[in-house]
Amino acid sequence: MLNTLYLLAIPVLLIIYNICGYLLRRPGQKLPYPPGPRSLPIIGSLFDVLTPRTGLDTHWAIYRDIGNTYHSDVLHIDIFGDHTVVLNSAKAAEELLERRSGIYSSRPTMYMANESGLGWNFGTMPYTSWWRLHRRTFQQHFRSDAIAAYHPYIRQATSRLLRSLSGIQSTTMVTQYDDLQAIVRQHAASIILYTTYGITEKEDMDAFIELVNNAAESINATAIHGSFLMDYFPLLRYVPAWFPGAHFKRKAVHWAQSTSELVNKPWNQLRASISSGTAISCFGTKCLQKLNLTLNAADATEDTSDLGMSKAASDTKMEEVIRNCAGTAYMAGADTSVSLILISVLVLSHHPEVQAKAQEELDQVLSSAANSSQLPDFSDRGSLQYVEAIFKEILRMYPGVPLGLPHCSIADDVYEGYFIPKGTTVVGNAWTEPQSGTPSSKHSFNPDPELYAFGFGRRICPGRHLALDTSWLVLACILATCNITRISSDKSKEIDPIADFADGLVAHPQPFKCCIIPRSASAFELMKSGYEVGVRMEA
């Protein structure tokens, strides 16, 4: 009897909650909302957002198409009084998320992400002193000038990637997507595991790579506002996992287990390695050394004074901050580089003429170096302007994190005569840049794609410098040693890779086929030797 009453009470409570929310959120202002789908009483634009669509459609493409329908780069979507504003141009995103960052730097409450155990990820936190402490701790070690310290290991990992590519070449020289993706994931995860936790053993690497692959599914699925009805119906978080139709809750329970293991297992291993004296210098050890291993009371007070903590409490809290930052880096860093590299291979497979021009530049720059027959290095980047243009154009055409994480307005605002109420979820859609032309059409970009391919304003991804350096080196090395071509059928007709993308926070291309062929016998040998032979280091 009680179970029956409980089952009946939940939908009734949901309806009452959302009707009340709708009535309370109706603004009394006279200015209109931005253009968007027609809002019906109570349910708003629910049917427009939930319109059946193919599995290949993505949120960023849907937002782009709605913008085209209403001829506006700023859209308003209302579902049960939950306001979402989508910014479909760099101009609108820069004005609101950059210039008015004091209003738009927070996050909406991400109910499904929190239910999935992601509350420790500071990327999902609202704009508070607790978030600022995380951001400050993280950025000290991952800002652009700090990444150079990791370049030697990035070279080693790139050498392993090239050797793996050379080893999977079959008699038909076809690189299978699953093989390519596995190699790229191994590469990206090995770099972030080393820089964050100092993990280098292959057995540990394999276990933690599988762990992050499982956990990354949670943030990819939950970070886009509206992916789950819980974003609009917060009371759904109280629905038990056994409730009929509560598959979302069962997913949350599963993801919460994976995310808990992700943030705790490598951290516990790091703490054990410190205790045994075998720890390698990395983000975790450097932060812990600054804390209680070499931390004085003044340092602790400085870092946590805005949280109103005592010295005893601050040490415990600061270790939690460091653990959270390490987990955030681990989760994000193991996925964003994968997306960038796979997208680069996919796009370049369509443009042999671009590869040829880039290879001409690479051959000229590398042959003029003190040691010839070298792989491109970070010290060559300033001389490889065409390769740099390719990299930036790919970022512009296919940003790895198209929508970023959602922002939230903390005050009423007006933009170009449109009203944006306090509490509105604001989404910057970087995918609305035209995906036309070749990936090297220009050498200068305004705005720089690096500034919006990883989020906006104060919430731009602080780990982007590592992802960009890692991906650039792979792109340059593959171009220097290989030709990327599309597959030919039995009738010698080229087959295009599938240029569709899976929906989620990070853009991943659907499986595609291509050939990655060494340019010559000497290039093949260079892929096998990597940077171990005659590597040139920056001054």
Side-chain angles (χ1 to χ4, degrees):
M1 182 64 177
L2 287 177
N3 282 345
T4 303
L5 291 174
Y6 184 69
L7 294 175
L8 292 173
I10 289 176
V12 172
L13 288 173
L14 290 175
I15 292 171
I16 294 173
Y17 172 86
N18 285 285
I19 290 176
C20 292
Y22 170 78
L23 295 173
L24 290 173
R25 295 182 201 180
R26 292 180 66 182
Q29 89 294 336
K30 296 181 180 179
L31 293 174
Y33 293 124
R38 184 168 64 98
S39 181
L40 299 173
I42 300 180
I43 65 171
S45 308
L46 179 65
F47 292 135
D48 294 89
V49 174
L50 297 183
T51 298
R53 55 185 186 267
T54 67
L56 296 179
D57 284 342
T58 59
H59 276 79
W60 55 84
I62 292 168
Y63 289 153
R64 178 198 61 200
D65 293 344
I66 294 176
N68 292 337
T69 299
Y70 292 94
H71 308 288
S72 177
D73 63 346
V74 182
L75 302 173
H76 173 253
I77 299 170
D78 169 22
I79 298 180
F80 288 103
D82 179 279
H83 297 283
T84 298
V85 166
V86 180
L87 310 176
N88 271 342
S89 71
K91 171 179 172 287
E94 182 177 355
E95 175 60 35
L96 296 186
L97 304 183
E98 297 278 353
R99 295 177 184 171
R100 306 187 196 183
S101 58
I103 296 177
Y104 294 99
S105 291
S106 196
R107 298 277 190 233
T109 302
M110 303 176 70
Y111 293 102
M112 187 62 183
N114 291 339
E115 284 295 302
S116 301
L118 287 166
W120 53 264
N121 188 315
F122 73 90
T124 68
M125 294 178 184
Y127 192 84
T128 62
S129 56
W130 181 237
W131 171 82
R132 286 193 294 272
L133 180 57
H134 282 78
R135 176 84 176 203
R136 186 164 62 243
T137 301
F138 187 97
Q139 195 155 324
Q140 290 173 358
H141 299 274
F142 288 96
R143 61 183 188 271
S144 58
D145 59 338
I147 295 303
Y150 304 128
H151 282 175
Y153 191 82
I154 294 174
R155 293 188 193 94
Q156 292 180 31
T158 304
S159 295
R160 291 195 295 270
L161 180 143
L162 292 172
R163 281 195 290 272
S164 296
L165 284 177
S166 68
I168 66 170
Q169 302 298 334
S170 66
T171 55
T172 58
M173 309 302 285
V174 174
T175 301
Q176 298 295 328
Y177 177 81
D178 288 345
D179 293 332
L180 178 61
Q181 185 185 53
I183 289 170
V184 174
R185 284 199 176 278
Q186 175 83 24
H187 168 75
S190 68
I191 291 173
I192 199 63
L193 284 168
Y194 172 82
T195 57
T196 305
Y197 301 105
I199 293 172
T200 59
E201 295 295 327
K202 186 179 185 307
E203 183 177 348
D204 293 333
M205 286 276 189
D206 292 342
F208 287 129
I209 288 170
E210 182 179 359
L211 177 59
V212 76
N213 288 344
N214 293 335
E217 180 185 0
S218 62
I219 195 164
N220 267 323
T222 63
I224 296 179
H225 189 70
S227 295
F228 289 86
L229 285 177
M230 193 185 294
D231 293 335
Y232 305 125
F233 307 145
L235 284 177
L236 287 174
R237 65 188 187 275
Y238 299 116
V239 174
W242 54 261
F243 190 78
H247 59 279
F248 66 94
K249 197 62 181 286
R250 291 187 284 275
K251 283 185 176 181
V253 171
H254 170 71
W255 286 335
Q257 177 64 31
S258 296
T259 54
S260 175
E261 291 178 353
L262 179 139
V263 73
N264 288 307
K265 279 191 173 181
W267 179 256
N268 292 339
Q269 180 163 318
L270 172 65
R271 296 297 269 132
S273 67
I274 292 174
S275 298
S276 64
T278 59
I280 295 174
S281 178
C282 59
F283 167 80
T285 58
K286 290 174 184 176
C287 289
L288 287 173
Q289 286 167 0
K290 185 181 177 183
L291 182 59
N292 241 359
L293 305 181
T294 59
L295 183 72
N296 56 43
D299 291 331
T301 303
E302 178 184 355
D303 281 341
T304 57
S305 58
D306 55 351
L307 297 176
M309 294 180 188
S310 65
K311 169 65 169 68
S314 71
D315 283 3
T316 301
K317 279 296 182 183
M318 275 306 301
E319 178 160 345
E320 181 183 349
V321 168
I322 298 166
R323 185 208 65 170
N324 292 347
C325 288
T328 302
Y330 175 30
M331 174 173 277
D335 206 25
T336 52
S337 296
V338 174
S339 168
L340 280 173
I341 293 169
L342 291 177
I343 290 173
S344 297
V345 171
L346 169 63
V347 173
L348 286 171
S349 69
H350 286 268
H351 296 283
E353 76 287 356
V354 170
Q355 296 179 61
K357 189 172 180 179
Q359 289 162 349
E360 182 180 351
E361 179 184 69
L362 282 158
D363 292 344
Q364 181 178 358
V365 169
L366 298 178
S367 64
S368 64
N371 297 313
S372 61
S373 301
Q374 294 289 330
L375 290 170
D377 208 344
F378 294 108
S379 57
D380 301 312
R381 192 166 183 175
S383 301
L384 296 170
Q385 296 184 8
Y386 191 78
V387 173
E388 186 72 13
I390 293 173
F391 187 57
K392 286 185 180 291
E393 182 68 356
I394 290 173
L395 279 175
R396 184 194 69 81
M397 295 169 65
Y398 302 100
V401 190
L403 300 178
L405 286 164
H407 294 238
C408 182
S409 61
I410 62 171
D412 290 349
D413 195 19
V414 176
Y415 175 67
E416 295 192 342
Y418 296 122
F419 179 68
I420 302 175
K422 176 182 178 180
T424 296
T425 297
V426 181
V427 178
N429 186 7
W431 199 264
T432 50
E433 281 283 336
Q435 293 148 6
S436 60
T438 61
S440 56
S441 57
K442 49 189 175 181
H443 288 253
S444 61
F445 298 83
N446 186 23
D448 188 336
E450 291 184 9
L451 297 179
Y452 59 79
F454 290 88
F456 302 89
R458 299 178 189 177
R459 301 306 293 254
I460 191 171
C461 174
R464 67 191 183 280
H465 304 295
L466 181 62
L468 290 168
D469 279 10
T470 296
S471 304
W472 179 88
L473 192 64
V474 171
L475 172 67
C477 286
I478 289 179
L479 283 170
T481 59
C482 299
N483 293 316
I484 308 170
T485 64
R486 291 176 283 180
I487 302 297
S488 295
S489 68
D490 294 338
K491 297 181 180 180
S492 298
K493 181 179 180 181
E494 287 185 327
I495 302 173
D496 288 346
I498 300 173
D500 293 307
F501 289 79
D503 198 12
L505 176 66
V506 180
H508 286 283
Q510 298 285 358
F512 62 91
K513 291 183 178 181
C514 68
C515 295
I516 301 179
I517 307 171
R519 294 173 61 196
S520 64
S522 59
F524 185 65
E525 291 302 315
L526 189 56
M527 291 175 71
K528 292 193 292 185
S529 61
Y531 285 97
E532 277 74 12
V533 179
V535 64
R536 290 175 288 116
M537 304 288 285
E538 299 106 316

